[in-house]
Amino acid sequence: MNDQPSRLEMLRFLERVQQQDLERTRRWIAAAQQREAQRQRAIQARPPAPDRLIEQSLSRDVPAAYVHRGDCHMAGKRSRGVARDQALRALTDGIAPCPHRLPDTELGILD
């Protein structure tokens, strides 16, 4: 008596295993596509970066440390986006312009 499966039975078994692997791979691909679509939607939903920033000082007694351009790499974590008129007002009120990106020149205020 021969208890070993035939070659055809082994090939059918292999086919079922490969079909399961293919279905699992397709689920992984679908999940990755969904994550990428969510990431793209999140990027598109982001508000635009501000044109100007005001960096708050470490002390509560001093209102602000610098006025930065929105793309300034020197702006610290305590920075917040402001409108053009707020940046102008801050500069005319004596808040220092960032020495790296010169927002005062961009805004038309020259010393």
Side-chain angles (χ1 to χ4, degrees), residues 15 32 37 41 43 50 53 64-65 71 88-89 97 102-104 106 111:
E15 180 183 38
R41 283 193 300 272
I43 288 171
L53 302 167
D71 59 351
L88 281 169
R89 191 174 322 113
L102 306 173
D104 52 341
E106 176 198 9
D111 288 341

Side-chain angles (χ1 to χ4, degrees), residues 10-53:
M10 290 181 355
L11 288 171
R12 297 231 188 254
F13 172 76
L14 177 60
E15 180 183 38
R16 286 192 307 273
V17 170
Q18 289 176 334
Q19 185 66 36
Q20 291 170 349
D21 286 344
L22 181 59
E23 290 170 3
R24 183 181 59 227
T25 301
R26 286 180 175 157
R27 285 192 306 269
W28 289 345
I29 290 170
Q33 287 174 328
Q34 184 178 11
R35 284 191 303 273
E36 179 61 21
Q38 289 172 341
R39 190 181 75 78
Q40 289 297 325
R41 283 193 300 272
I43 288 171
Q44 291 173 354
R46 277 187 201 150
D51 291 334
R52 292 147 199 93
L53 302 167

Side-chain angles (χ1 to χ4, degrees), residues 77-109:
K77 291 182 180 180
R78 298 176 317 276
S79 299
R80 62 180 171 81
V82 295
R84 183 179 197 280
D85 61 330
Q86 290 174 299
L88 281 169
R89 191 174 322 113
L91 289 168
T92 57
D93 287 347
I95 296 175
C98 172
H100 296 276
R101 297 303 300 262
L102 306 173
D104 52 341
T105 302
E106 176 198 9
L107 291 170
I109 299 175

